[in-house]
Amino acid sequence: FQAEDGIRDCLLSRGLGDVYKRQGIISAFYLAVALDRAFFIDYKSPFPLTETLVPKTMRWDYRVKRKCTTTNGFRSKENEIFMVDSESPDQVLRRIEQLHERGTSTIQLHVNRYYVGILLWMVPSSLKLSERAAAAFESGMIRKLDHYCPGRNAIENNAGYTFSFAFTQLFDFAPEVKDRALHMIQELALGADAEFIAVHIRIGGRPKKSRRVVGWIDPKRHEIEDAATFFDCADSKRRNAGSISKSSPIVLFSDSEELKKAPIVAARGVRVVKSTHISHTDRSWSFSKQSMRRGNVDTFAELYLMSRASCIVGSSSTYSGLASSLTFPPRECFSYFGNCTESRWDFWTQTERSVLR
């Protein structure tokens, strides 16, 4: 399988965020495993993926041929499958199965969501798509394990667990990203292994360009006034979660310089990385390649740092959910904005529910 963005390179940008590509990659990987196919990642825009994520336990970075797609994906080559933002994947899944059974040597898969991966890990008793989904996708990974590991112990098949498992097998953060994260830790006055609670507040809208902000246009997510609710949730976690020290500092991650400078941040004793170059991996653009590259590295460095938090209070953004799933096993302490009382909130199951209904 070839998992590629295939969007920005052809000047057809639809704002697919970097986190959506991670979802698609994990789905494509599990599909390749379930169908016994080779797996490659072709990712060169806006920068090569290997500048921020590198292969860990398997090679996925072999060079493959690239070809731009047309604006109408259904007019593309027969072996090219488009599942970008698809809300009804069943017909596309059947098409993949047909290509596979026909012996098609290469299937190019464009997918930006994790519902395919979730479906492959569903246990038979929980399947609700038996009349819609192709047979190859019903419990594909479960049947794979039953065949090769008949004496295995039961594993957690929740979406956060399976996403985390694949990510930690496929990827490690690049040395430059880890080095930048270390500098952020020093700026935050944290020890290398210090506990902290991460709060991610994505304001959205149109961030003002500055020396440290490469602007972009984004849907509005939150108001700066919402910060109080986020910080209250973090305080609640610090008081009530037995596994978290009551002295753990709160660290704010945000796409808004205005929020980072807001009086409430200092008043609540919240720490921030002031040196971050804020950008969106897909949507930001600047004549300065150096500025864009710095923003790309800083985005992944903050993601890496968030994933090391003892607890994450997430925003209306997939970035938060991704951060909770980058260690194995995944972080148990994760709360979505407005769901602070939930002790364990599986981000991937909740956000893909409309597709897997």
Side-chain angles (χ1 to χ4, degrees), residues 56 60-61 108 119-120 125 130 133 136 147 156 178 183 197 202-203 241 247 251 255 260 271 274 304 336 341 343:
K56 189 173 183 180
W60 43 257
D61 58 339
Q108 293 180 304
L119 178 58
L120 286 164
S125 60
S130 58
H147 177 73
E156 292 189 54
K178 290 183 176 180
H183 283 86
I197 299 174
R202 184 167 179 176
I203 299 297
S247 61
V251 178
D255 61 345
K260 289 184 176 183
R271 304 184 191 186
K274 296 180 180 179
Y304 173 78
Y336 202 49
T341 56
S343 57

Coordinates of all heavy atoms in Angstrom, one line a residue, residues 56 60-61 108 119-120 125 130 133 136 147 156 178 183 197 202-203 241 247 251 255 260 271 274 304 336 341 343:
K56 N 10.9 3.0 12.8 CA 11.3 2.4 14.1 C 11.6 0.9 14.0 O 12.8 0.5 14.0 CB 10.3 2.7 15.2 CG 10.7 2.4 16.6 CD 9.7 2.8 17.6 CE 10.2 2.5 19.0 NZ 9.2 2.9 20.0
W60 N 9.6 1.9 6.1 CA 8.4 2.3 5.3 C 8.8 3.4 4.4 O 7.9 4.0 3.7 CB 7.2 2.7 6.2 CG 7.6 3.6 7.4 CD1 7.7 3.2 8.7 CD2 8.0 5.0 7.3 NE1 8.2 4.3 9.5 CE2 8.3 5.4 8.7 CE3 8.1 6.0 6.3 CZ2 8.7 6.7 9.0 CZ3 8.5 7.2 6.7 CH2 8.8 7.6 8.0
D61 N 10.1 3.8 4.3 CA 10.5 5.0 3.6 C 11.2 4.7 2.3 O 12.0 5.5 1.8 CB 11.4 5.8 4.5 CG 12.6 5.0 5.0 OD1 12.6 3.8 5.0 OD2 13.6 5.7 5.4
Q108 N -2.9 2.3 -4.4 CA -2.6 3.6 -3.8 C -3.8 4.0 -3.0 O -4.8 4.3 -3.6 CB -2.2 4.6 -4.9 CG -0.9 4.3 -5.6 CD -0.6 5.3 -6.7 OE1 -1.4 5.5 -7.6 NE2 0.5 5.9 -6.6
L119 N -12.2 -0.6 12.4 CA -13.0 -1.7 11.9 C -12.2 -3.0 11.8 O -12.7 -4.1 12.2 CB -13.5 -1.4 10.5 CG -14.4 -2.4 9.7 CD1 -15.6 -2.8 10.6 CD2 -14.8 -1.9 8.4
L120 N -11.0 -3.0 11.4 CA -10.1 -4.2 11.4 C -9.9 -4.8 12.7 O -9.6 -6.0 12.8 CB -8.8 -3.8 10.7 CG -8.8 -3.6 9.2 CD1 -7.6 -2.9 8.7 CD2 -9.0 -4.9 8.4
S125 N -18.2 -10.2 17.8 CA -19.5 -10.0 18.5 C -19.9 -8.6 18.4 O -21.1 -8.3 18.6 CB -19.3 -10.4 20.0 OG -18.3 -9.7 20.6
S130 N -21.7 -6.1 9.1 CA -21.5 -7.3 8.4 C -22.2 -7.3 7.1 O -21.8 -8.0 6.1 CB -22.1 -8.5 9.3 OG -23.4 -8.3 9.6
A133 N -19.9 -4.1 5.0 CA -18.4 -4.1 4.9 C -18.0 -5.4 4.2 O -18.6 -6.5 4.3 CB -17.7 -4.0 6.2
A136 N -13.1 -9.1 3.9 CA -11.7 -8.9 4.3 C -11.5 -7.9 5.4 O -10.5 -7.9 6.1 CB -10.9 -8.4 3.1
H147 N -4.8 -16.6 13.9 CA -4.1 -17.6 13.0 C -2.7 -17.8 13.4 O -2.2 -18.9 13.5 CB -4.2 -17.1 11.5 CG -3.5 -18.0 10.6 ND1 -3.9 -19.2 10.2 CD2 -2.3 -17.8 9.9 CE1 -3.1 -19.7 9.3 NE2 -2.1 -18.9 9.1
E156 N -6.4 -5.6 24.6 CA -7.4 -4.5 24.5 C -7.5 -4.1 23.0 O -6.5 -3.8 22.4 CB -6.9 -3.3 25.3 CG -6.9 -3.6 26.8 CD -6.6 -2.3 27.6 OE1 -7.4 -1.3 27.4 OE2 -5.7 -2.3 28.4
K178 N 13.4 15.7 18.9 CA 13.7 15.4 20.3 C 14.6 16.5 20.9 O 14.5 16.9 22.1 CB 14.3 14.0 20.5 CG 13.4 12.9 20.2 CD 14.0 11.5 20.4 CE 13.0 10.4 20.2 NZ 13.7 9.1 20.4
H183 N 15.0 21.4 24.5 CA 15.2 22.8 24.8 C 13.9 23.4 25.3 O 13.9 24.3 26.2 CB 15.5 23.6 23.5 CG 17.0 23.4 23.1 ND1 17.5 22.3 22.4 CD2 18.1 24.2 23.3 CE1 18.8 22.4 22.2 NE2 19.2 23.5 22.8
I197 N 1.0 18.4 33.6 CA -0.3 18.2 33.0 C -0.3 19.1 31.8 O 0.0 20.3 31.9 CB -1.4 18.6 34.0 CG1 -1.4 17.7 35.2 CG2 -2.8 18.5 33.2 CD1 -2.4 18.0 36.2
R202 N -6.8 25.0 21.3 CA -6.7 25.5 19.9 C -7.8 26.5 19.7 O -9.0 26.2 19.7 CB -6.8 24.3 18.9 CG -6.6 24.7 17.5 CD -6.5 23.5 16.6 NE -6.3 23.9 15.2 CZ -6.1 23.0 14.3 NH1 -6.0 21.7 14.6 NH2 -6.0 23.4 13.0
I203 N -7.4 27.8 19.5 CA -8.3 28.9 19.3 C -8.9 28.9 17.9 O -10.0 29.1 17.7 CB -7.6 30.2 19.6 CG1 -7.1 30.2 21.1 CG2 -8.6 31.4 19.3 CD1 -8.3 30.1 22.1
A241 N -6.7 12.9 40.7 CA -6.1 11.7 40.1 C -5.0 11.2 41.0 O -4.0 11.9 41.2 CB -5.5 12.0 38.7
S247 N 1.6 18.6 43.0 CA 2.5 19.7 42.7 C 2.9 19.8 41.3 O 3.7 20.6 40.9 CB 3.7 19.6 43.6 OG 4.4 18.4 43.3
V251 N 1.1 22.9 31.9 CA 1.8 23.5 30.7 C 0.8 23.7 29.6 O 0.0 22.8 29.3 CB 3.0 22.6 30.2 CG1 3.6 23.2 29.0 CG2 4.0 22.4 31.3
D255 N -2.2 27.5 19.7 CA -1.9 28.1 18.4 C -2.1 29.6 18.5 O -2.0 30.3 17.5 CB -2.9 27.6 17.3 CG -4.3 27.9 17.6 OD1 -4.6 28.2 18.8 OD2 -5.2 27.7 16.7
K260 N -1.3 32.9 25.0 CA -0.1 32.6 25.8 C 0.3 33.8 26.7 O 0.8 33.7 27.8 CB 1.0 32.2 24.9 CG 0.9 30.8 24.3 CD 2.2 30.5 23.5 CE 2.1 29.1 23.0 NZ 3.3 28.7 22.2
R271 N 2.5 27.4 32.8 CA 3.8 27.6 32.1 C 3.6 27.4 30.6 O 2.7 26.7 30.1 CB 4.9 26.5 32.5 CG 5.1 26.6 34.0 CD 6.2 25.6 34.4 NE 6.3 25.5 35.9 CZ 7.2 24.8 36.5 NH1 8.2 24.2 35.8 NH2 7.2 24.7 37.8
K274 N 7.5 30.1 25.2 CA 7.4 31.3 24.5 C 8.1 31.3 23.1 O 7.9 32.2 22.3 CB 7.8 32.5 25.3 CG 7.0 32.7 26.6 CD 7.5 33.8 27.4 CE 6.6 34.0 28.7 NZ 7.1 35.2 29.5
Y304 N 5.4 15.8 20.6 CA 6.3 14.9 21.4 C 6.2 15.2 22.9 O 6.1 14.3 23.7 CB 7.7 14.9 20.9 CG 8.7 14.1 21.7 CD1 8.8 12.7 21.5 CD2 9.6 14.7 22.6 CE1 9.7 12.0 22.3 CE2 10.5 14.0 23.3 CZ 10.6 12.6 23.1 OH 11.5 11.9 23.9
Y336 N -11.4 15.3 27.3 CA -11.7 16.2 26.2 C -12.4 17.5 26.7 O -13.0 17.4 27.8 CB -12.7 15.5 25.2 CG -12.7 16.0 23.8 CD1 -11.6 16.3 23.1 CD2 -13.9 16.2 23.2 CE1 -11.6 16.8 21.8 CE2 -14.0 16.7 21.9 CZ -12.8 17.0 21.2 OH -12.9 17.5 19.9
T341 N -15.1 15.2 33.6 CA -15.4 14.2 34.6 C -15.2 12.8 34.1 O -15.1 11.8 34.9 CB -16.9 14.3 35.1 OG1 -17.7 14.2 33.9 CG2 -17.1 15.6 35.8
S343 N -13.2 9.6 33.2 CA -11.9 9.1 33.7 C -11.1 8.6 32.5 O -9.9 8.8 32.5 CB -12.1 8.1 34.8 OG -12.9 7.0 34.2

